[in-house]
Amino acid sequence: MVAVEVKTKKEQKRFLTFRRKCYRENACYVDNQSFMLREMFSGRTCFGENKEIKVLNIEDAGRVVCQGILIYTKELPDYVQLCFFECEPGQERAVEVLEKEAVEFGKAHGCKRLVVGLYGHVNYGLGFLADRYGEKNSFSAAGNPAFYNDYFEAGNYERVYLNSYKTARFAENIKKYERILNGLESRYSFRCFDKKNFNRDAKLYTDLNNICFANHRYYYKREYKEDREMLKELFLFMKEDSLIFAYDGDTPVGFVMWYPEYNELLRGGESFGVKAFFMNLLFKNKIRTVKVMEFGILEEYRRKGLPLALVNRVYLCAKKRGIGKAETSWVLEENGDSNSVCRAVCEENYKRYVVYEKQLS
């Protein structure tokens, strides 16, 4: 069993081929990550500019049986990250080899802890799926098989849990707060992202992220060019009302990002890419769910009704499209305020996710 660092185009192709093989027959998984990996391998993304990255295939007798990517950034200096993990069942020894590589990589950079399930930055993903393995993953959400967790449950890891929420009665749940929302609508003003002023609004998005999430677990400061690149890709699919800013007078105090649940247009085993782009153009009216991806609010406004007002803005956009269901992205279980807002408008605790973390020995 050996670890082979992926450097050449041939090795990169083997890395992506193994990943496709892991999910090819999985009717519950739409691949939303291979696009980013191809961009990273090609050098067409700034994803790796502030990071040191080591891509590994774990091979047994020349055959790839496990893989992962190790990431270190001085912006999150205590952690070495093990992400984009894929593996065949029954490969405990291969996972041990990969973990050993991660520990050595981390120690070489002065890291104190290993985190498994952080994808370079929380904006790109966090966590392994920890339940409901028989349901298709939503856009940008994990959809790994259950046995992936078994590999890390057996280790000396601490577990950090995350929740997502879902409602099939978006209108009814919002209507319960109609009187409160009328007051909030008069207190705050809202505007959509303006693509004609793309750089200005992308900068505002970055600035709000860096302020709102400064104390969020695993978050570190975003660069303007990173978010410009991410938003340019998302706006190939999203409309301008998918990113809404909130103001108190002339002061920006929060935002919400949402989008139609694009994975509803794809079958399990397919990858998000060119096909999804054209499916979205031709069949966007078939989408029945909105995904509330992220909301960020200045600390002094979090208990002044603004979270609910921003969710209402998403509802108003969904209503225009005839969409009556909503799902949230992951929310850290330790984040009481965000979980409370989600429970207020969603009747169902939906999926659970987990991140594995331990001290480097």
Side-chain angles (χ1 to χ4, degrees), residues 228-242:
R228 280 199 307 270
E229 180 178 272
M230 183 185 75
L231 289 171
K232 282 180 179 178
E233 291 176 353
L234 286 173
F235 273 112
L236 292 173
F237 298 85
M238 298 192 316
K239 302 295 184 183
E240 288 176 300
D241 64 0
S242 284

Side-chain angles (χ1 to χ4, degrees), residues 185-243:
E185 287 288 321
S186 63
R187 174 171 181 177
Y188 301 109
S189 60
F190 305 89
R191 74 169 181 86
C192 300
F193 190 95
D194 181 2
K195 287 199 282 190
K196 292 181 180 178
N197 291 283
F198 191 97
N199 288 338
R200 180 201 68 187
D201 281 3
K203 180 179 183 297
L204 175 58
Y205 170 77
T206 302
D207 287 339
L208 284 170
N209 267 270
N210 286 337
I211 297 170
C212 295
F213 299 119
N215 298 315
H216 189 285
R217 186 190 287 261
Y218 306 127
Y219 186 89
Y220 60 88
K221 186 178 179 181
R222 292 282 283 175
E223 299 293 333
Y224 293 132
K225 60 183 177 181
E226 293 175 309
D227 283 333
R228 280 199 307 270
E229 180 178 272
M230 183 185 75
L231 289 171
K232 282 180 179 178
E233 291 176 353
L234 286 173
F235 273 112
L236 292 173
F237 298 85
M238 298 192 316
K239 302 295 184 183
E240 288 176 300
D241 64 0
S242 284
L243 180 49

Side-chain angles (χ1 to χ4, degrees), residues 47 50-54 68-84 98 101-103 105-106 111 113-122 124-126 218 220 356 360:
F47 174 82
N50 61 350
K51 305 174 185 70
E52 292 190 41
I53 298 175
K54 188 174 185 179
I69 297 180
L70 312 180
I71 295 179
Y72 167 77
T73 173
K74 59 182 174 51
E75 303 295 337
L76 197 66
D78 286 346
Y79 289 95
V80 55
Q81 304 175 41
L82 169 54
C83 51
F84 297 101
L98 182 59
E101 289 283 336
V103 169
F105 186 77
C111 299
R113 299 185 70 80
L114 167 63
V115 58
V116 186
L118 172 61
Y119 290 82
H121 191 280
V122 294
Y124 299 117
L126 186 67
Y218 306 127
Y220 60 88
Y356 298 97
L360 294 185

Side-chain angles (χ1 to χ4, degrees), residues 27-32 136-140 166-168 259-268 270 272 275-276 279-280 283-291 321-327 350:
C28 295
Y29 182 72
V30 175
D31 185 358
N32 299 139
K136 190 166 71 172
N137 62 311
S138 60
F139 185 74
S140 79
K166 193 171 185 178
T167 178
Y259 33 67
E261 215 304 84
Y262 301 119
N263 280 9
E264 288 186 353
L265 299 175
L266 297 174
R267 297 188 301 271
E270 293 186 321
F272 195 83
K275 178 179 178 179
M279 291 285 285
N280 185 54
F283 303 111
K284 59 186 176 183
N285 292 333
K286 292 189 175 183
I287 295 177
R288 294 291 176 261
T289 308
V290 294
K291 177 83 177 275
R321 291 166 170 78
I323 297 175
K325 299 179 181 180
E327 180 183 337
Y350 187 39

